[in-house]
Amino acid sequence: MTMDISLWGEYIFVFFVLVALEGILSADNAVVMAVIVKALPHEKQKKALFYGLLGALVFRLIALLLISFLVKVWEIQAIGALYLLYLAIKHMLDLRRENAGIKKEEETPKPAKSFWGTVAKVEFTDIAFAIDSMLAAAALVVGLPQLGDFHIGGMNGGQFIVMFLGGIAGLIVIRFAATQVIKLLDRYPTLETAAFLIVGWVGIKLAVSTLAHPAVHAIPESFPESTLWKAIFWVVMIMIALGGYIIARRKERSSKKE
């Protein structure tokens, strides 16, 4: 009985660690998803997040079954990095043209953003981000004592289930965080530029992970996990977020005075 309590206690502890790990590793993911769905009408944003993350959940289930294969899929991260950098650069170019007063001679209404296209972008974004967190989760649960005598995808059933449930809880955390980011962008519209800068910076993060992949080996494999790179990434990200928030608040006060 004491052994069972100890075993369950260990599994419960690892579950909460997985939720925290997913939340920390996917904090930037929430910002990117919020920026993607913000192009939709307000009433469709939450639905797009829900369906996108539902599809991402299915992907994670399949991915966890094929985790040994996904270690080699550096191409997904590379495409994700290019896509996020494209989003950031496009926003900056559009903003520059807008500030310069460059407009088409005949203004035509912009076509409505595709709902399912946006859902697909949310799913792809989660796929690009999820690989690292899933591999970290797999490494964490492998050390757990086996629970039950069944296996799923080459892994002990108890280990697989706690890893999968941790991933589900992590997606819920991302969904909530993305909703809060959308509210913040609605309150401070000028904060959107800072959000796109973060998107670009996250794209650079994915690019670094790709370059460090054993199949590419353009930079040392250990660099993305080094204390130096993690410190640089989070310091720059916090500076962008704080700087954008301060500028947004100042613009809000200026507009109220006028």
Side-chain angles (χ1 to χ4, degrees), residues 114-130:
S114 165
F115 175 79
W116 291 110
T118 301
V119 169
K121 288 179 182 179
V122 171
E123 288 184 23
F124 176 76
T125 300
D126 184 74
I127 289 171
F129 278 91

Side-chain angles (χ1 to χ4, degrees), residues 5 12 19 26 36 44 58 70 95 128 143-144 176 243:
I5 293 174
I12 291 170
V19 175
S26 302
I36 290 173
K44 291 185 177 180
V58 174
L70 274 179
L95 187 64
L144 284 171
F176 176 76

Side-chain angles (χ1 to χ4, degrees), residues 161-202:
I161 290 170
V162 74
M163 180 168 63
F164 184 62
L165 291 177
I168 293 177
L171 282 174
I172 293 171
V173 170
I174 295 170
R175 167 70 169 75
F176 176 76
T179 302
Q180 296 307 308
V181 172
I182 292 171
K183 288 180 180 178
L184 196 62
L185 292 177
D186 285 338
R187 183 178 177 185
Y188 303 110
T190 55
L191 198 59
E192 189 170 2
T193 298
F196 271 100
L197 286 174
I198 290 175
V199 168
W201 182 236
V202 171

